[in-house]
Amino acid sequence: MKKIFYSILIPVLLLGTASCESFLDEENKSGLTSEAYYKTAEGAESLVNSLYTPMRFWYGKENGIALTETGTDIFTRGNGMENPPVALYNSDLSGANAPISFYWTRFYSAVNACNAAVKRIPESALAENLKTTRLAEARFLRAFYLWHIVETWGGVHLTTEESIGLVTTANRTSVEEFYKLIFEDLQFAVDNLAPTSPQYGRVTKPAAEAFMARMYLYRKNYPEAARLSKKVISDYSFSLVPNYANLWSISNVKNSEIVWHVNFTADLILNREFDGPTARTDDDILLRDGGNNTHLFFLMTYDQVAGMQRDMRYGRPFARFMPTAHLLDLFDETKDARFDATFETVWYSNKPGKYKKVLSNGTEVDVTFAAGDTAIYATKYVVPNTRKDAKKYTIIDRSRTYNVNAGDAPVVRDRYMSLKKFLEPNRLTISQQQGQRDAFVIRLAEMYLIAAEAEMMQGNTGEAVTYMNAVRRRAALPGKQADMEITPEQLNIDFILDERAREFAGEQQRWFDLKRTDKLIERVKKFNPDAAPNIQPFHVLRPIPQSQLDAVSNPGDFKQNEGYF
C-alpha cells in the first residue's frame, strides 16, 4: 500500500493548480489527457491512491504540528521554532503567514482532487463493485480534508465541482453547510466500505465510523457520537494495547489500537512527494521530504550538554516545541505510566570524558563521565542548588526551564523535558530527517474518550466513567489500576481535556479539542504564559491567506476573517 500511495500524484495536482505560464504551455507529446486516462481502470486507481498523499503534508510535518499543538495549553515554542506567530498569536499572525498559506493551498488542492475522483470514478472502467469502494474512499477523504478547512478557517469556500484551470471567484459557505457535506460523505463511506482492507492504509468502515463519531462530537450530537464510538469499540477486533509505552515502540507500529493512520515508508526513494510545479529544492527537484519528521521537533538540545553528543537513541534535536509546565503537571507519575512513556527524563552519557561544570555560585569544577553515566536529569520539580551542585550531571529542574515566580513562563527554550514517544531509533544515520513511523490519526483510546464525553454531556456520568476508566486503567503503573480510576463526581469537561492531553499529547488534536469545547481562550490564558497576553476570541479561526484575498475577483463577498489584516 505504501508503494501504491506514493506512486502518482501529478495528474491530480494538474487538475486544479494554477501555476507558471511556462508550465501550462508545455506540449503534451504523449497525447494522454486526464479525460482519457481517468476512464481507464489504471487511471482511476491512481487517482484514488493519490488522494491519500496530501495527508503527509499535514501529519508528521513541522507546521502541521505547530498549528495543532502549539498555542495551546500544553505546548509552546522551543528555541528552534520557525513559525512563532502560531504559538504566540502576536501581530505577525496574519494573512501573510507562509505555512498557513501553504496548508490552504494543499487542502484545497486535495479537495479538488477528491471532487475529480467523485466525478470520474463512475465513468471509469473499474469493476462496478470496486467503483463503489473507491468512491467511498474518495468521499471519506473529501470529508477529512473539508473538516481541516472548516475548523481551521471557518465558513470559507466550498464546492463539489472539479476545478480545471483558473477560478477567480470564491464563495462564503456556512459552517453548517460544510458539515452537511461532511456527514453526507461519511455516511456514504460507512455504507459502502468493508470492515477491513487487504491493502494496509486504505480507509475502512470502522475508520469512517470512528471519524464520524469525532465529527458528531464536534457538532455536539452526543447520542450519535456515543453510538458510533461504542460501535467501533465493540464490533471490530480493535483493542487497547495493554502497555501504553508499547504503542510507541517502532517495532509495534502496526498494532491492535490503530483505527486509522497515515502510512509512511522506510524506503528513502519512495518516501518523497510531488508538490506541484512551483516547489523546488536546492537541487531544482520537484519533490518534498515525504517522511514522518515528528521525531525531530519535540527534543531539547541534549547534545550541547556535558557528556552527551547526538546519537540514534536520543534523536536529532530540532527543539521546535517544548511542553508547558501545565502539561507536565497534568501527570501523576506515581501511578500514571504515560509520564515515563511520553517524556525523556534521563540521558546517559554517550561521550565520556572530562568536562567543566559551573556551580550555582559561578565556580568551575572538573567532572568526568564514563560511558553510561547519568549525564542529564530533567524534572518538573524545583531542585535546590545544593543538590544540583553535589551532582556531576546536569539537572534541568523546573526553575531552570520555567520562571516559577512568574506563572511558569519559559526562562530558556533549549533545556526542557523532551517528548520521546515519536523517536525513530532505526534511522540509517543520526542526521536523517525522514522517518518511517506511521502517524496515528485515530486510536481506539479516542473512541473510549469520545464515548465518555458524549455520555457525560447527556448526563450519564456513571456510564461515562466506565469508558474513561478503561483508558485510565490501561495507563496505570503495575498495581496502580484502582488508584487511576475516577468517580462520577470527578468527571467534567476540564477533566476530559486533561485526560486527552495525557493520552494524545503531540498527536495533532489539541488546538481543535480546545476550540470545539470553547476552552481555547480560557486555557491558553491560564496555562500558556507565552500566548496568554495576545490571544483573543477571534483566534479560534486562522487568517485567510492574503494571496487568496488578492486573487479573487469578488473581494466584497470574500473577506478576511474577523480580527486579521
Side-chain angles (χ1 to χ4, degrees), residues 463-529:
E463 187 170 0
V465 164
T466 299
Y467 287 94
M468 173 63 69
N469 283 339
V471 173
R472 289 182 61 78
R473 281 194 301 272
R474 186 276 292 273
L477 287 166
K480 297 291 185 177
Q481 286 81 0
D483 294 337
M484 282 288 283
E485 293 185 353
I486 65 166
T487 65
E489 292 72 26
Q490 293 174 272
L491 193 63
N492 56 39
I493 193 61
D494 284 305
F495 188 93
I496 286 174
L497 286 171
D498 290 348
E499 190 67 21
R500 290 182 70 92
R502 290 183 283 261
E503 184 71 25
F504 303 123
E507 296 178 53
Q508 296 190 236
Q509 289 204 54
R510 191 60 176 181
W511 190 84
F512 295 124
D513 273 339
L514 295 184
K515 176 186 172 180
R516 70 172 176 82
T517 55
D518 299 319
K519 289 284 187 174
L520 178 65
I521 311 303
E522 174 190 330
R523 289 179 73 109
V524 167
K525 283 184 174 295
K526 187 174 182 179
F527 298 121
N528 186 334

Side-chain angles (χ1 to χ4, degrees), residues 3-249:
K3 292 186 178 181
I4 291 174
F5 282 179
Y6 282 90
S7 58
I8 300 176
L9 181 61
I10 296 175
V12 177
L13 286 181
L14 298 188
L15 292 172
T17 303
S19 54
C20 61
E21 184 177 352
S22 62
F23 181 84
L24 295 177
D25 288 344
E26 286 183 3
E27 184 179 356
N28 182 3
K29 296 183 182 296
S30 70
L32 183 65
T33 66
S34 60
E35 291 289 339
Y37 182 59
Y38 292 141
K39 288 182 178 179
T40 68
E42 177 189 10
E45 287 282 21
S46 73
L47 176 56
V48 174
N49 290 344
S50 70
L51 303 183
Y52 289 81
T53 297
M55 293 186 296
R56 299 184 188 91
F57 293 125
W58 179 257
Y59 289 96
K61 294 298 188 291
E62 176 176 353
N63 287 309
I65 299 169
L67 284 162
T68 49
E69 294 293 329
T70 66
T72 68
D73 54 343
I74 63 173
F75 285 105
T76 187
R77 65 183 181 92
N79 72 326
M81 187 175 181
E82 295 186 340
N83 189 20
V86 300
L88 302 177
Y89 301 102
N90 60 18
S91 59
D92 290 331
L93 184 59
S94 69
N97 187 276
I100 291 176
S101 298
F102 173 89
Y103 284 117
W104 174 280
T105 302
R106 294 309 173 274
F107 283 139
Y108 272 107
S109 178
V111 169
N112 192 56
C114 292
N115 288 342
V118 170
K119 174 186 176 181
R120 294 168 183 268
I121 288 170
E123 304 168 357
S124 73
L126 287 172
E128 288 303 316
N129 63 326
L130 196 54
K131 281 183 184 179
T132 303
T133 299
R134 297 295 181 253
L135 186 57
E137 290 178 59
R139 293 190 66 172
F140 171 91
L141 290 165
R142 182 168 68 181
F144 186 73
Y145 296 128
L146 286 173
W147 171 69
H148 284 81
I149 289 172
V150 73
E151 287 298 329
T152 302
W153 291 283
V156 285
H157 182 77
L158 177 64
T159 181
T160 58
E161 297 297 319
E162 175 191 354
S163 298
I164 302 177
L166 188 63
V167 177
T168 61
T169 59
N171 63 63
R172 274 284 194 172
T173 303
S174 69
V175 171
E176 290 72 23
E177 285 298 307
F178 265 88
Y179 271 101
K180 182 175 182 291
L181 179 56
I182 287 170
F183 282 115
E184 288 173 358
D185 281 348
L186 289 178
Q187 189 61 59
F188 187 89
V190 166
D191 291 342
N192 292 284
L193 288 170
T196 61
S197 172
Q199 292 178 305
Y200 184 70
R202 286 199 187 275
V203 182
T204 61
K205 182 183 181 73
E209 290 173 334
F211 189 63
M212 201 170 187
R214 185 193 287 182
M215 294 300 93
Y216 277 125
L217 191 70
Y218 272 67
R219 302 311 291 163
K220 297 179 170 51
N221 186 336
Y222 300 118
E224 283 301 292
R227 180 185 68 84
L228 281 171
S229 58
K230 292 177 185 179
K231 187 175 186 298
V232 175
I233 292 168
S234 64
D235 286 10
Y236 304 100
S237 58
F238 303 112
S239 61
L240 296 175
V241 172
N243 184 327
Y244 183 81
N246 287 347
L247 261 175
W248 309 105
S249 169

Side-chain angles (χ1 to χ4, degrees), residues 296-494:
L296 304 166
F297 304 130
F298 294 96
L299 308 181
M300 71 96 165
T301 51
Y302 69 89
D303 53 347
Q304 298 175 12
V305 179
M308 297 300 300
Q309 62 185 346
R310 185 192 304 176
D311 69 2
M312 297 297 291
R313 160 64 182 84
Y314 295 111
R316 183 175 178 182
F318 273 29
R320 299 294 200 252
F321 316 127
M322 63 180 288
T324 61
H326 171 64
L327 176 58
L328 304 180
D329 290 342
L330 286 176
F331 294 84
D332 181 349
E333 66 275 23
T334 67
K335 59 184 180 182
D336 194 333
R338 289 174 298 193
F339 183 80
D340 286 330
T342 301
F343 296 107
E344 198 81 74
T345 57
V346 180
W347 289 254
Y348 297 102
S349 178
N350 59 14
K351 190 179 180 183
K354 182 178 289 188
Y355 297 87
K356 295 288 186 182
K357 176 179 178 175
V358 180
L359 303 181
S360 57
N361 63 5
T363 304
E364 280 193 351
V365 297
D366 291 326
V367 294
T368 302
F369 291 100
D373 286 351
T374 297
I376 309 171
Y377 171 65
T379 175
K380 63 182 179 180
Y381 303 106
V382 174
V383 176
N385 285 336
T386 53
R387 183 183 168 197
K388 293 180 190 176
D389 291 345
K391 302 295 184 182
K392 68 178 180 180
Y393 52 81
T394 298
I395 295 179
I396 300 173
D397 74 329
R398 192 185 195 98
S399 64
R400 172 75 181 272
T401 304
Y402 308 100
N403 188 337
V404 296
N405 298 314
D408 285 318
V411 177
V412 297
R413 300 182 187 274
D414 58 351
R415 302 285 187 270
Y416 50 82
M417 204 174 292
S418 297
L419 197 76
K420 72 177 183 182
K421 65 185 188 180
F422 303 119
L423 285 173
E424 297 248 13
N426 59 342
R427 292 170 298 130
L428 297 179
T429 70
I430 59 174
S431 297
Q432 181 181 317
Q433 296 185 39
Q434 292 174 303
Q436 72 178 65
R437 179 187 291 277
D438 292 339
F440 300 155
V441 179
I442 304 176
R443 296 199 274 114
L444 190 65
E446 183 184 352
M447 296 299 101
Y448 279 91
L449 294 184
I450 286 177
E453 184 175 342
E455 292 295 352
M456 181 195 73
M457 298 303 287
Q458 296 177 85
N460 304 323
T461 54
E463 187 170 0
V465 164
T466 299
Y467 287 94
M468 173 63 69
N469 283 339
V471 173
R472 289 182 61 78
R473 281 194 301 272
R474 186 276 292 273
L477 287 166
K480 297 291 185 177
Q481 286 81 0
D483 294 337
M484 282 288 283
E485 293 185 353
I486 65 166
T487 65
E489 292 72 26
Q490 293 174 272
L491 193 63
N492 56 39
I493 193 61
D494 284 305

